[in-house]
Amino acid sequence: MTSLPLMPVDPDAPGARRAAMPPQHLADLDLDGRKDLVTKLGESAFRARQVSTHYFGRLVRDPAQMTDLPASSRDRLADQLLPRLLTPVRELACDDGATRKALWRLHDGSLVESVLMGYPDRVTVCISSQAGCGMACPFCATGQAGLTRNLSTAEIVDQAVYLAGVAASGKVAGSPPRLSHVVFMGMGEPLANYNRVIAAIRRLVAPPPEGLGLSQRHITVSTVGLVPAIHRLASEDLSVTLALSLHAPDDELRDELVPVNQRWKVCEVLDAAWAYAARTGRRVSIEYAMIKDVNDQPWRADLLGRLLAGKLAHVNLIPLNPTPGSRWDASPKPVEREFVRRLRDAGVSTTVRDTRGREIDGACGQLAAAEDSGTDPAGEMTA
């Protein structure tokens, strides 16, 4: 087994290298903070509520459309409260328009990705919390790229707000026009950017004009298993779903697939997950990428079943979306079905994730990697 290097769990900790953060945005602040900023600009405090209503309530960014603001102060308020954080690089669609992937360039040139997925009963967005990732999981395109920096609270929130606007425009045929679910399963390890991710969640669930007004129960936070941060999340009085990226039930393999396991072993990670479930009453989602001839053996299904039997957990098997040139590949369907059968026979609730976006480099980090290398998703050179 190769021991892979880990980046600091908290890049914002004292002594950690600090990357240049973007300009402050209204989504970085609660409503009182926005009012303070507006009054310092010499405007009435209620202007903060007006701009916030446009952004969170009407999903409007263009100052020209904010006609209830005085023309003399409209641009100045927008400059201070709504600086541009995300510049679109590419926006691709597949699945008859039900899946849309966006690649963004940040103020410092970093690239991040978001995905919008429409279903008959809901619209979900998958958002990034870091530019790159320091967890070094070898089968993940983002993990291969390494960590650039944490995203700001507003950079995280702005992905969801932008794609909420796409949904509201009716571009996702056959789905409701309102964003309902957010999953922190994009680029990065959310719990390694803990404070800003928690602040982003609070913006997403606060009612307009404070925030976007989503249900806490419709927010999912994924982690590779940062045990202290899981315990901290349990104390936040939030009803979000915890998704644990397990990918192997035994320490020997998980040490390789999820290198943070070298610090916190499977039993410690699962104990933290069960503590979270006990504190919140929320079922834990166990994420398990099915990798051909690596973690898909029947005995590993049986071991996983024994670990999870009787627990408040659901297994979400993920057919691996291979990255270009990778030695990792998806498990064959018969192997996948046998894995599911063994888990269900053990009494463990199990589903296989709907695969979306393969033709648009749907796996996290693939589109950014293609942009950096100067290729399009089909492998052709871009201008």
Side-chain angles (χ1 to χ4, degrees):
M1 183 197 74
T2 301
S3 179
L4 298 175
L6 292 179
M7 297 297 291
V9 168
D10 182 3
D12 290 329
R17 181 180 61 85
R18 293 179 181 270
M21 297 303 288
Q24 189 176 66
H25 184 282
L26 71 82
D28 289 311
L29 306 168
D30 61 17
L31 193 54
D32 286 340
R34 296 168 210 166
K35 290 177 180 177
D36 288 343
L37 177 58
V38 165
T39 55
K40 288 176 182 176
L41 296 174
E43 300 283 347
S44 298
F46 73 88
R47 298 296 182 199
R49 177 175 289 271
Q50 287 180 297
V51 179
S52 298
T53 297
H54 283 293
Y55 180 74
F56 281 119
R58 299 170 188 162
L59 309 175
V60 168
R61 285 176 165 74
D62 182 2
Q65 297 181 45
M66 303 177 186
T67 54
D68 57 342
L69 298 174
S72 58
S73 55
R74 192 179 301 156
D75 288 339
R76 184 161 61 115
L77 286 168
D79 286 344
Q80 293 298 312
L81 292 175
L82 296 173
R84 180 172 236 187
L85 301 179
L86 308 175
T87 299
V89 177
R90 288 180 180 171
E91 199 167 327
L92 305 176
C94 67
D95 302 321
D96 296 323
T99 304
R100 310 179 73 91
K101 187 163 188 176
L103 176 67
W104 315 101
R105 194 175 302 279
L106 308 181
H107 79 105
D108 58 355
S110 301
L111 297 170
V112 296
E113 301 171 7
S114 321
V115 184
L116 182 150
M117 296 163 284
Y119 302 91
D121 62 338
R122 69 191 187 280
V123 175
T124 298
V125 297
C126 177
I127 59 177
S128 297
S129 55
Q130 296 180 310
C133 182
M135 297 298 106
C137 299
F139 58 90
C140 171
T142 308
Q144 294 166 28
L147 177 65
T148 300
R149 68 169 172 86
N150 283 332
L151 299 191
S152 70
T153 297
E155 285 174 321
I156 297 169
V157 172
D158 205 31
Q159 298 169 64
V161 173
Y162 178 93
L163 292 174
V166 173
S169 72
K171 291 182 180 179
V172 188
S175 298
R178 187 176 188 277
L179 174 66
S180 55
H181 292 67
V182 172
V183 295
F184 284 79
M185 292 183 177
M187 297 174 71
E189 161 57 51
L191 296 188
N193 188 12
Y194 188 90
N195 290 335
R196 296 188 185 104
V197 165
I198 295 301
I201 292 170
R202 297 198 187 281
R203 301 290 179 273
L204 293 173
V205 303
E210 177 88 22
L212 201 53
L214 302 181
S215 167
Q216 290 187 26
R217 299 173 72 86
H218 291 171
I219 306 288
T220 297
V221 178
S222 176
T223 180
V224 295
L226 306 188
V227 167
I230 294 172
H231 288 304
R232 188 178 174 191
L233 180 64
S235 69
E236 292 286 352
D237 196 27
L238 291 168
S239 297
V240 300
T241 297
L242 177 70
L244 173 60
S245 296
L246 193 64
H247 304 312
D250 57 300
D251 286 324
E252 181 178 7
L253 179 58
R254 195 169 191 265
D255 281 350
E256 179 180 358
L257 295 183
V258 187
V260 77
N261 198 74
Q262 297 165 26
R263 187 174 302 178
W264 296 291
K265 298 301 185 181
V266 169
C267 62
E268 296 174 87
V269 173
L270 289 177
D271 283 348
W274 308 147
Y276 182 86
R279 177 74 178 264
T280 63
R282 301 288 290 152
R283 185 175 69 170
V284 175
S285 179
I286 303 295
E287 309 292 302
Y288 197 103
M290 293 291 288
I291 309 174
K292 181 181 178 182
D293 299 329
V294 175
N295 66 348
D296 59 358
Q297 299 86 354
W299 71 265
R300 282 196 163 95
D302 294 339
L303 175 56
L304 183 61
R306 292 194 296 273
L307 290 173
L308 303 185
K311 301 297 186 180
L312 192 59
H314 172 89
V315 174
N316 186 20
L317 292 182
I318 307 166
L320 185 72
N321 192 350
T323 58
S326 172
R327 66 183 177 92
W328 313 93
D329 203 355
S331 301
K333 286 300 176 183
V335 173
E336 179 185 282
R337 288 193 290 268
E338 176 64 10
F339 207 93
V340 171
R341 184 190 69 78
R342 287 173 178 264
L343 287 174
R344 289 177 177 170
D345 285 351
V348 177
S349 172
T350 305
T351 55
V352 178
R353 180 184 290 179
D354 178 30
T355 55
R356 292 286 194 99
R358 286 182 180 268
E359 61 267 48
I360 55 171
D361 283 348
C364 206
Q366 286 188 338
L367 201 56
E371 180 69 19
D372 277 337
S373 66
T375 62
D376 71 8
E380 298 174 0
M381 296 302 295
T382 58

Coordinates of all heavy atoms in Angstrom, one line a residue, residues 20-51:
A20 N -5.5 34.1 -1.4 CA -6.2 35.4 -1.5 C -7.7 35.0 -1.6 O -8.1 34.3 -2.5 CB -5.7 36.2 -2.7
M21 N -8.5 35.6 -0.8 CA -9.9 35.4 -0.8 C -10.6 36.4 -1.7 O -10.1 37.5 -1.9 CB -10.5 35.4 0.6 CG -10.0 34.2 1.5 SD -10.2 32.6 0.8 CE -12.0 32.4 1.0
P22 N -11.8 36.2 -2.1 CA -12.5 37.1 -3.0 C -13.1 38.3 -2.2 O -13.1 38.3 -1.0 CB -13.7 36.2 -3.6 CG -14.0 35.3 -2.5 CD -12.6 34.9 -1.9
P23 N -13.6 39.3 -2.9 CA -14.2 40.4 -2.2 C -15.4 40.0 -1.5 O -16.1 39.0 -1.8 CB -14.6 41.4 -3.4 CG -14.6 40.5 -4.6 CD -13.6 39.5 -4.4
Q24 N -15.7 40.8 -0.4 CA -16.9 40.4 0.4 C -18.2 40.6 -0.4 O -18.3 41.5 -1.2 CB -16.9 41.3 1.6 CG -18.0 40.9 2.7 CD -17.9 41.8 3.9 OE1 -18.2 43.0 3.8 NE2 -17.5 41.2 5.0
H25 N -19.1 39.7 -0.2 CA -20.4 39.6 -0.9 C -21.5 39.5 0.2 O -21.3 39.1 1.3 CB -20.4 38.4 -1.7 CG -21.6 38.1 -2.6 ND1 -22.8 37.6 -2.2 CD2 -21.7 38.3 -4.0 CE1 -23.6 37.5 -3.2 NE2 -23.0 37.9 -4.3
L26 N -22.7 39.9 -0.2 CA -23.8 39.9 0.8 C -24.0 38.6 1.4 O -24.4 38.4 2.6 CB -25.1 40.5 0.2 CG -25.9 39.8 -0.8 CD1 -26.8 38.7 -0.2 CD2 -26.7 40.7 -1.6
A27 N -23.7 37.5 0.6 CA -23.9 36.1 1.2 C -22.9 35.7 2.2 O -23.1 34.7 2.9 CB -23.9 35.1 0.0
D28 N -21.8 36.5 2.3 CA -20.9 36.3 3.4 C -21.4 36.8 4.8 O -20.9 36.5 5.8 CB -19.6 37.0 3.1 CG -18.8 36.4 2.0 OD1 -18.6 35.2 2.0 OD2 -18.4 37.1 1.1
L29 N -22.5 37.6 4.7 CA -23.0 38.3 5.9 C -24.4 37.9 6.2 O -25.2 37.6 5.3 CB -22.9 39.8 5.7 CG -21.6 40.4 5.3 CD1 -21.8 41.9 4.8 CD2 -20.6 40.4 6.4
D30 N -24.8 37.9 7.5 CA -26.2 37.8 7.8 C -26.9 39.2 7.5 O -26.2 40.1 7.1 CB -26.4 37.4 9.2 CG -25.9 38.3 10.3 OD1 -25.6 39.5 9.9 OD2 -25.7 37.9 11.4
L31 N -28.2 39.2 7.7 CA -28.9 40.4 7.3 C -28.5 41.7 8.1 O -28.3 42.8 7.5 CB -30.4 40.2 7.4 CG -31.3 41.3 6.7 CD1 -31.0 41.4 5.3 CD2 -32.8 40.9 6.9
D32 N -28.2 41.5 9.4 CA -27.7 42.6 10.2 C -26.4 43.1 9.7 O -26.1 44.3 9.7 CB -27.6 42.2 11.7 CG -29.0 42.1 12.3 OD1 -29.9 42.6 11.8 OD2 -29.0 41.4 13.4
G33 N -25.5 42.2 9.3 CA -24.2 42.6 8.8 C -24.3 43.3 7.5 O -23.6 44.3 7.2
R34 N -25.3 43.0 6.6 CA -25.5 43.7 5.4 C -26.0 45.1 5.7 O -25.6 46.1 5.0 CB -26.5 42.9 4.5 CG -26.1 41.6 4.1 CD -27.2 40.7 3.5 NE -27.0 39.3 3.7 CZ -27.9 38.4 3.5 NH1 -29.1 38.7 3.2 NH2 -27.6 37.1 3.7
K35 N -26.9 45.2 6.7 CA -27.4 46.5 7.0 C -26.3 47.4 7.5 O -26.2 48.6 7.2 CB -28.5 46.4 8.1 CG -29.8 45.8 7.6 CD -30.8 45.6 8.8 CE -32.1 45.0 8.3 NZ -33.0 44.7 9.4
D36 N -25.4 46.9 8.3 CA -24.2 47.7 8.8 C -23.4 48.2 7.6 O -23.0 49.3 7.6 CB -23.4 46.8 9.8 CG -24.0 46.6 11.1 OD1 -25.0 47.3 11.4 OD2 -23.6 45.7 11.8
L37 N -23.2 47.3 6.7 CA -22.3 47.7 5.5 C -23.0 48.8 4.7 O -22.4 49.7 4.3 CB -22.1 46.4 4.6 CG -21.3 46.7 3.4 CD1 -19.9 47.3 3.7 CD2 -21.1 45.4 2.6
V38 N -24.3 48.6 4.5 CA -25.0 49.6 3.7 C -25.0 51.0 4.4 O -24.9 52.0 3.8 CB -26.5 49.1 3.5 CG1 -27.4 50.3 3.0 CG2 -26.5 48.0 2.5
T39 N -25.2 51.0 5.7 CA -25.2 52.3 6.4 C -23.9 53.0 6.4 O -23.8 54.2 6.3 CB -25.7 52.1 7.9 OG1 -24.9 51.2 8.5 CG2 -27.1 51.7 7.9
K40 N -22.8 52.2 6.4 CA -21.5 52.7 6.2 C -21.2 53.3 4.9 O -20.4 54.2 4.7 CB -20.4 51.6 6.5 CG -20.3 51.2 8.0 CD -19.3 50.1 8.2 CE -19.3 49.6 9.6 NZ -18.4 48.5 9.8
L41 N -22.0 52.9 3.9 CA -22.0 53.5 2.6 C -22.8 54.8 2.5 O -22.9 55.4 1.4 CB -22.5 52.5 1.5 CG -21.6 51.2 1.3 CD1 -22.3 50.3 0.4 CD2 -20.2 51.6 0.8
G42 N -23.5 55.1 3.6 CA -24.3 56.3 3.6 C -25.7 56.1 3.1 O -26.4 57.0 2.8
E43 N -26.1 54.8 3.0 CA -27.5 54.5 2.5 C -28.3 54.1 3.7 O -27.8 53.7 4.8 CB -27.4 53.3 1.5 CG -26.6 53.6 0.3 CD -27.3 54.5 -0.7 OE1 -28.6 54.7 -0.6 OE2 -26.7 55.0 -1.7
S44 N -29.6 54.1 3.5 CA -30.6 53.6 4.5 C -30.4 52.1 4.7 O -30.2 51.4 3.7 CB -32.0 54.0 4.1 OG -32.2 55.4 4.0
A45 N -30.6 51.6 5.9 CA -30.4 50.2 6.2 C -31.3 49.3 5.5 O -31.0 48.2 5.1 CB -30.6 50.0 7.7
F46 N -32.5 49.8 5.1 CA -33.5 49.0 4.5 C -33.1 48.6 3.0 O -33.6 47.7 2.4 CB -34.9 49.6 4.5 CG -35.1 50.8 3.5 CD1 -35.5 50.6 2.2 CD2 -34.9 52.1 4.0 CE1 -35.7 51.6 1.3 CE2 -35.1 53.1 3.1 CZ -35.5 52.9 1.8
R47 N -32.1 49.3 2.5 CA -31.6 49.0 1.2 C -30.9 47.6 1.2 O -31.0 46.9 0.2 CB -30.5 50.0 0.7 CG -31.1 51.4 0.6 CD -32.1 51.5 -0.5 NE -32.6 52.9 -0.7 CZ -33.7 53.3 -1.3 NH1 -34.5 52.3 -1.7 NH2 -34.1 54.5 -1.4
A48 N -30.4 47.2 2.3 CA -29.8 45.9 2.4 C -30.9 44.8 2.2 O -30.6 43.8 1.5 CB -29.1 45.7 3.8
R49 N -32.0 45.0 2.8 CA -33.1 44.1 2.6 C -33.6 44.1 1.1 O -33.9 43.0 0.6 CB -34.3 44.4 3.5 CG -35.5 43.6 3.3 CD -36.6 43.9 4.4 NE -36.2 43.5 5.7 CZ -36.4 42.3 6.2 NH1 -37.1 41.4 5.5 NH2 -36.1 42.0 7.4
Q50 N -33.6 45.2 0.5 CA -34.0 45.3 -0.9 C -33.1 44.5 -1.8 O -33.5 43.7 -2.6 CB -34.1 46.7 -1.4 CG -35.3 47.5 -0.8 CD -35.3 48.9 -1.3 OE1 -34.4 49.7 -1.1 NE2 -36.3 49.3 -2.1
V51 N -31.8 44.7 -1.6 CA -30.8 44.0 -2.5 C -30.9 42.5 -2.2 O -30.8 41.7 -3.1 CB -29.4 44.6 -2.3 CG1 -28.4 43.8 -3.1 CG2 -29.3 46.0 -2.6

